[in-house]
Amino acid sequence: MKKGMCVFGTRSEAIKMCPLTNEIIRFIIFLLITTIVCSQVVFSLQKRNSHIDELYNMRNCDVLVLGSSHAYVNLNGAVMYDNYGIASSCIAQGEQQIRMSYYSLKSALRYCNPQVVVFEVYMAAIEDDYGDLPNQYANALLSFPIYSNLDVRLEAMGDLKGTNYIEYISGIPLYHNDYKKWYSEGSKKEHTAGFMNGFTETKDDGLWDYCFSVDTVSNKKEIGEQTRRALLSTIELCKQKNINLVFVITPYQAPDYHMEKLLSVQDIALEYGIPFVDMNCHLGDIGINLEEDMYDWGHAKKIGEEKNSIWLGNWLVSNYSLKDHRGESDYKYWDIVSQERIEWVSTLQ
């Protein structure tokens, strides 16, 4: 017999396995245990993620909002629901770049099938100035359970520059930071449909002394190639899903060089038949005073977000067949969102 071979001669010997087989079995058991433990740790951390509850409750939303902080600060879903019965959810992230908004939308559409996607495209004007920001690249993707969008995370790796791929694909840094915030601030969840209840005061030295719109600039500047590609991918994705797409700029004290780039976005919208709504062109109709209704140059106070939301809500119901869902049993989540905002407003009086 050759050395190292296993031979089973009797019944008792047959149940004995050679050393190599035992090592393989022990290794497989170790991998299974490690995988289970790591999965539970990630799941436990992810449950503290600030957006996770919103994602599960947005399944029957009619309007999905994308973008950066200009989306979730300058608009408010509770206001649109209270005035028009619009069930809207926001999956914007602070400083979220255009291409990450696309990947975020791709992930979200596995949860919901909205009639309208409102894409607040402010970041198209500035993201080339930001360089590589791994946190802002990845956070939108990591708000979704990894089992639902691992393939999208892997697809986005080409845009994850200057970061640890394993960490950000797994989501550990984001989930860990959310857990620390939960641990320090308490476990109470707010129901906001992904929006933010606005600022109540003006930030010192936070306002600029000018405001341009796409109607008041003539010199056009080109946007970056990655940004253009992401916008076109978003258009194509919405077309495939038969979803109405709207590019929106919420009111802010925009400099001319921002709007010169946004003229390029407007050209893309016109070429592909996408509505382009620069709300800075409608300040009088909105009733917003950028010197009084803003927290800083880019973000609205409570009164500003209310005016913005009422105006945009009216534009949406005037252009699309959006139902009024107030009082419907399937939309109780937005009743909770509305009630919590009412309670928040009452604390300000």
Side-chain angles (χ1 to χ4, degrees):
M1 182 187 305
K2 292 183 178 180
K3 187 176 180 180
M5 291 182 65
C6 295
V7 177
F8 305 120
T10 65
R11 180 180 176 83
S12 61
E13 290 175 332
I15 63 174
K16 295 179 181 179
M17 299 182 181
C18 64
L20 181 59
T21 304
N22 286 331
E23 289 297 323
I24 292 174
I25 291 175
R26 280 197 289 268
F27 181 70
I28 291 174
I29 292 173
F30 170 77
L31 285 180
L32 287 173
I33 293 174
T34 302
T35 301
I36 292 171
V37 170
C38 290
S39 298
Q40 288 301 311
V41 169
V42 171
F43 181 71
S44 177
L45 293 175
Q46 190 179 26
K47 286 195 297 184
R48 308 303 179 195
N49 181 269
S50 58
H51 284 263
I52 197 67
D53 283 350
E54 310 292 348
L55 296 174
Y56 286 111
N57 283 293
M58 75 182 190
R59 293 180 186 273
N60 56 349
C61 72
D62 290 336
V63 174
L64 188 64
V65 181
L66 308 177
S68 65
S69 59
H70 284 221
Y72 66 75
V73 175
N74 295 347
L75 300 172
N76 191 278
V79 175
M80 287 193 283
Y81 183 75
D82 287 342
N83 285 272
Y84 307 103
I86 297 174
S88 62
S89 290
C90 183
I91 54 171
Q93 296 268 341
E95 297 178 341
Q96 178 172 287
Q97 303 210 354
I98 296 294
R99 50 196 182 274
M100 283 299 122
S101 290
Y102 162 68
Y103 292 124
S104 180
L105 173 62
K106 195 169 184 179
S107 299
L109 294 183
R110 296 175 178 179
Y111 285 84
C112 62
N113 184 33
Q115 289 179 243
V116 183
V117 166
V118 172
F119 196 167
E120 213 289 348
V121 293
Y122 155 77
M123 283 298 293
I126 64 161
E127 67 177 17
D128 291 340
D129 300 329
Y130 270 64
D132 296 333
L133 293 174
N135 288 355
Q136 283 71 29
Y137 277 20
N139 282 3
L141 293 178
L142 303 184
S143 291
F144 296 88
I146 190 170
Y147 60 78
S148 73
N149 78 333
L150 176 60
D151 59 327
V152 182
R153 298 186 191 198
L154 294 173
E155 182 183 352
M157 284 182 65
D159 290 325
L160 291 168
K161 303 180 186 303
T163 187
N164 183 314
Y165 291 142
I166 295 177
E167 285 187 357
Y168 279 89
I169 291 299
S170 69
I172 290 295
L174 176 66
Y175 304 152
H176 180 253
N177 290 339
D178 279 348
Y179 185 84
K180 289 194 298 184
K181 180 179 179 181
W182 169 83
Y183 186 80
S184 63
E185 298 181 5
S187 59
K188 183 180 183 298
K189 289 279 189 180
E190 293 183 343
H191 299 88
T192 65
F195 297 90
M196 171 184 161
N197 288 325
F199 298 101
T200 57
E201 298 179 353
T202 300
K203 180 181 179 182
D204 290 341
D205 300 323
L207 299 177
W208 297 348
D209 58 359
Y210 45 74
C211 175
F212 289 86
S213 71
V214 292
D215 286 350
T216 57
V217 294
S218 56
N219 182 39
K220 181 175 65 177
K221 294 182 179 178
E222 293 299 322
I223 55 177
E225 183 56 33
Q226 285 185 316
T227 300
R228 173 179 293 276
R229 206 162 53 237
L231 290 171
L232 295 178
S233 295
T234 303
I235 292 171
E236 180 60 27
L237 178 59
C238 289
K239 181 179 178 181
Q240 291 174 0
K241 300 289 185 179
N242 198 28
I243 296 171
N244 298 292
L245 175 63
V246 184
F247 289 161
V248 171
I249 303 295
T250 53
Y252 77 105
Q253 292 176 308
D256 54 355
Y257 57 89
H258 282 192
M259 286 301 168
E260 287 169 351
K261 281 200 168 185
L262 291 171
L263 278 178
S264 292
V265 179
Q266 185 182 47
D267 282 352
I268 293 174
L270 291 172
E271 180 179 354
Y272 289 90
I274 306 299
F276 184 91
V277 183
D278 179 6
M279 295 173 66
N280 275 346
C281 297
H282 304 279
L283 297 181
D285 294 335
I286 297 170
I288 194 167
N289 183 320
L290 292 179
E291 294 183 359
E292 298 178 0
D293 297 341
M294 301 292 287
Y295 166 72
D296 59 18
W297 62 269
H299 303 95
K301 293 193 294 188
K302 167 187 168 292
I303 187 172
E305 71 173 17
E306 288 175 350
K307 292 176 180 180
N308 292 338
S309 301
I310 290 172
W311 186 90
L312 184 61
N314 181 65
W315 188 92
L316 289 170
V317 297
S318 298
N319 286 274
Y320 303 103
S321 301
L322 295 171
K323 287 187 62 178
D324 184 341
H325 293 295
R326 285 173 289 186
E328 294 184 15
S329 59
D330 289 342
Y331 292 83
K332 287 183 179 179
Y333 171 71
W334 281 273
D335 289 324
I336 296 173
V337 171
S338 173
Q339 183 58 39
E340 287 195 8
R341 180 174 172 83
I342 291 172
E343 292 172 358
W344 172 74
V345 170
S346 70
T347 65
L348 306 177
Q349 299 173 350

